[in-house]
């Protein structure tokens, strides 16, 4: 309903407002007062088993999802960003968003680990119980519910729109670029793709699959596919196809190349070894 009735800027605003409630986990992380030494030592603790290896690759895939790159490319077009000022603002917003999303992931992980609740946390109810010491019974339930709704809305918007834009562009349909600013009758192919993606998602969920295992599998595939998607993007950004003032050159090219290589080696090694050992 939101996609059919709102333009891109309105959809983005709704997603950001609800998504901000995920910052709940950052506040709860500091409220739990985890031991800094324990947190630091845990960053370098590895387990020699297939599941842990696949989880490392899946975490990289969860952070650098190939389709998110395509979403941002299409979103830049949809927002009609053209000037150098727009480029600087987009870079700043991307950096801020990257930092915030990682803080949310860290906050959720540290909060659950530092919670006084005994045993494993395997359900939303148990996550709620882990947040009670920080916010209380009712506030933690409300904050957690809205945070999950916000995260789900953002994910639904990004995944479905990225897939719809990609299909329309691959098919050569010219109604995709600014489809969200037009009604259904003026961009029927785009909206048909969007609704198709939603229906496929609903169908998969109705099959009764294990959602946790499905998410880990998808993130693992993202981690294994990341080198190709990000690799092509890296070579494109450093090529002469782009205007000279936006090309990736000098020390920035070297630093990003090293980071990309490190992430690629780590993701492929742990992902493939984890699959083989499983």
């Amino acid at each position: 309903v939101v996609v059919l009735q709102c333009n891109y800027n309105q959809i983005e605003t709704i997603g950001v407002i609800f998504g901000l409630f995920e910052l709940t986990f950052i506040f709860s992380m500091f409220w739990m007062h985890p031991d800094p030494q324990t947190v630091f030592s845990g960053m370098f603790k590895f387990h020699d088993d297939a599941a842990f290896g696949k989880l490392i690759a899946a975490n990289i895939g969860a952070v650098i999802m190939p389709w998110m790159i395509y979403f941002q490319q299409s979103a830049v077009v949809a927002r009609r960003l053209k000037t150098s000022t727009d480029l600087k603002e987009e870079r700043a917003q991307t950096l801020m968003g990257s930092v915030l999303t990682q803080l949310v992931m860290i906050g959720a992980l540290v909060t659950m680990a530092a919670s006084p609740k005994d045993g494993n946390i395997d359900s939303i109810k148990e996550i709620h119980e882990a947040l009670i010491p920080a916010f209380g019974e009712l506030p933690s339930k409300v904050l957690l519910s809205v945070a999950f709704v916000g995260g789900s809305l953002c994910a639904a918007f990004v995944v479905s729109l990225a897939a719809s834009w990609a299909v329309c562009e691959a098919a050569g349909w010219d109604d995709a670029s600014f489809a969200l600013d037009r009604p259904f009758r003026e961009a029927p192919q785009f909206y048909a793709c969007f609704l198709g993606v939603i229906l496929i998602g609903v169908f998969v969920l109705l099959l009764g699959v294990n959602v946790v295992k499905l998410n880990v599998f998808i993130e693992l595939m993202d981690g294994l596919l990341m080198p190709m998607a990000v690799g092509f993007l890296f070579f494109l950004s450093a090529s002469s196809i782009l205007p000279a003032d936006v090309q990736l050159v000098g020390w920035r090219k070297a630093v990003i190349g090293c980071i990309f290589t490190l992430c690629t080696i780590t993701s492929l090694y742990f992902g493939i070894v984890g699959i083989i050992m499983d």
Side-chain angles (χ1 to χ4, degrees):
V1 173
V2 172
V3 171
L4 292 176
Q5 298 296 324
C6 301
N7 59 37
Y8 179 82
N9 289 331
Q10 292 170 330
I11 293 173
E12 187 178 57
T13 301
I14 293 172
V16 169
I17 290 174
F18 279 95
L20 285 174
F21 282 90
E22 295 181 68
L23 298 178
T24 296
F25 293 108
I26 299 178
F27 293 110
S28 63
M29 173 181 66
F30 289 105
W31 185 275
M32 296 295 180
H33 301 295
D35 178 31
Q37 185 175 355
T38 303
V39 174
F40 183 78
S41 61
M43 294 170 57
F44 303 96
K45 185 177 181 180
F46 292 88
H47 301 275
D48 188 19
D49 61 75
F52 187 77
K54 289 193 293 185
L55 196 58
I56 292 177
N59 271 275
I60 295 177
V63 174
I64 314 175
M65 294 180 177
W67 48 264
M68 290 178 67
I69 297 171
Y70 303 131
F71 170 82
Q72 186 170 24
Q73 173 263 321
S74 298
V76 167
V77 176
R79 292 162 61 192
R80 295 175 170 83
L81 305 183
K82 299 178 181 179
T83 67
S84 58
T85 302
D86 291 336
L87 177 61
K88 292 179 181 178
E89 291 178 356
E90 184 69 11
R91 285 175 172 171
Q93 291 174 11
T94 300
L95 176 61
M96 183 177 67
S98 300
V99 173
L100 280 178
T101 52
Q102 298 317 299
L103 284 176
V104 170
M105 292 177 65
I106 294 170
L109 182 63
V110 174
T111 296
M112 299 304 110
S115 171
K117 183 182 182 302
D118 295 328
N120 294 328
I121 296 177
D122 299 316
S123 66
I124 295 178
K125 180 181 178 181
E126 292 173 337
I127 295 176
H128 166 236
E129 292 173 353
L131 290 175
I132 290 177
F135 301 106
E137 175 76 26
L138 182 59
S140 62
K141 183 179 293 186
V142 173
L143 288 172
L144 182 63
S145 299
V146 180
F148 273 28
V149 169
S152 300
L153 275 176
C154 289
F157 290 154
V158 172
V159 174
S160 54
L161 291 176
S164 303
W165 277 325
V167 171
C168 290
E169 289 175 8
W173 298 329
D174 60 0
D175 67 347
S177 299
F178 308 111
L180 290 174
D181 294 331
R182 292 184 284 177
F184 184 93
R185 66 180 181 277
E186 295 182 11
Q189 295 162 319
F190 172 82
Y191 286 108
C193 288
F194 173 81
L195 294 174
V197 172
I198 296 296
L199 291 175
I200 291 173
V202 172
F203 174 74
V204 172
L205 291 177
L206 290 177
L207 292 177
V209 298
N210 186 303
V211 178
V212 174
K213 291 183 178 179
L214 177 63
N215 275 280
V216 173
F217 174 77
I218 292 173
E219 290 165 1
L220 175 60
M221 291 299 101
D222 286 335
L224 295 176
L225 293 172
M226 180 272 297
M228 290 179 284
V230 180
F232 284 124
L233 181 65
F234 175 77
F235 290 119
L236 173 63
S237 64
S239 71
S240 58
I241 298 176
L242 298 179
D245 58 332
V246 297
Q247 286 181 25
L248 190 62
V249 296
W251 66 269
R252 289 176 58 195
K253 179 181 177 181
V255 170
I256 293 177
C258 290
I259 295 173
F260 167 67
T261 302
L262 177 62
C263 290
T264 296
I265 294 173
T266 304
S267 180
L268 291 179
Y269 173 78
F270 283 103
I272 294 173
V273 171
I275 292 173
I276 295 174
M277 291 176 59
D278 194 357

